[in-house]
Amino acid sequence: EAGVAQSPRYKIIEKRQSVAFWCNPISGHATLYWYQQILGQGPKLLIQFQNNGVVDDSQLPKDRFSAERLKGVDSTLKIQPAKLEDSAVYLCASSLGGRRQETQYFGPGTRLLVL
Amino acid sequence: AQSVSQHNHHVILSEAASLELGCNYSYGGTVNLFWYVQYPGQHLQLLLKYFSGDPLVKGIKGFEAEFIKSKFSFNLRKPSVQWSDTAEYFCAVIPTDSWGKLQFGAGTQVVVTP
């Protein structure tokens, strides 16, 4: 079974530039999550999709971050404009139906450095 | 504020030593509890989870964790570690009034020396 795919794996940009990350969840998984992991901290949920609808985006900085999940499969997370403090690993995860008991499967992450 | 605390940021131990990693949470209601592990160069993956029933949960690779409700704790243990257990370990909770939002601790980096 193929895992969660993410691209790019690494990205270096200057502050005020824009950047986009892509995620392809495990086939058949209805729920998709984007987490931000800053160095030395645990992952923090940014946004959760159930199919193509948003379940929770309470911790997404909506003035600069946006995410979409068209057709309920792939997802894109965008930052515009980027700030220095956005330097982090962006993790995508998916689960079958989003219930609490389900295992969330994580992708390899995209490591972003903002200069 | 609701939070998850892991007691140690770094642990170094020798092969065959016993490992115990502490985790405490501060949610007032019922929670579901998880330990995730990230081996060097690999994805974050589930080690074990607790929802209800027997508070002693067994996971993969010989790990176990004990839920002590009165102490709001979910400590991870392994009786005898191997070099391959070198990894970062994350405790996480999902409050039962939350859809699926994992709240992670800061993680503990474990290094096992041969």
Side-chain angles (χ1 to χ4, degrees), chain A residues 6-26:
Chain A
Q6 291 187 247
S7 67
R9 294 294 309 276
Y10 305 92
K11 191 74 177 179
I12 301 174
I13 61 172
E14 295 186 348
K15 59 183 179 182
R16 291 187 290 273
Q17 286 187 322
S18 62
V19 64
F21 312 128
W22 173 82
C23 172
N24 181 238
I26 292 173

Side-chain angles (χ1 to χ4, degrees), chain A residues 4 33 35 37 40-43 45 48 50 55-56 58-59 91 97-104 106-108, chain B residues 9 32 34 36 38 41 43-46 49 51 88 90 94-107:
Chain A
V4 176
Y33 313 80
Y35 290 85
Q37 185 176 14
Q41 300 179 19
L45 181 71
Q48 178 180 346
Q50 182 73 11
V55 173
D56 185 341
S58 57
Q59 298 191 98
L91 297 168
R99 288 180 290 276
R100 291 183 302 275
Q101 297 89 338
E102 293 171 0
T103 298
Q104 293 184 24
F106 285 81
Chain B
H9 287 223
N32 299 322
F34 305 79
Y36 276 82
Q38 188 165 26
H43 307 181
L44 202 60
Q45 58 186 283
L46 182 68
K49 57 186 177 183
F51 297 119
E88 188 156 21
F90 294 92
I94 296 180
T96 53
D97 60 357
S98 167
W99 185 270
K101 181 178 179 178
L102 276 169
Q103 300 274 358
F104 284 90

Side-chain angles (χ1 to χ4, degrees), chain A residues 29-67:
Chain A
H29 280 194
T31 309
L32 186 147
Y33 313 80
W34 283 103
Y35 290 85
Q36 179 193 57
Q37 185 176 14
I38 294 172
L39 188 64
Q41 300 179 19
K44 181 184 80 172
L45 181 71
L46 292 176
I47 189 167
Q48 178 180 346
F49 291 95
Q50 182 73 11
N51 296 307
N52 59 354
V54 176
V55 173
D56 185 341
D57 64 356
S58 57
Q59 298 191 98
L60 186 74
K62 298 180 185 67
D63 58 334
R64 297 184 301 106
F65 285 65
S66 64

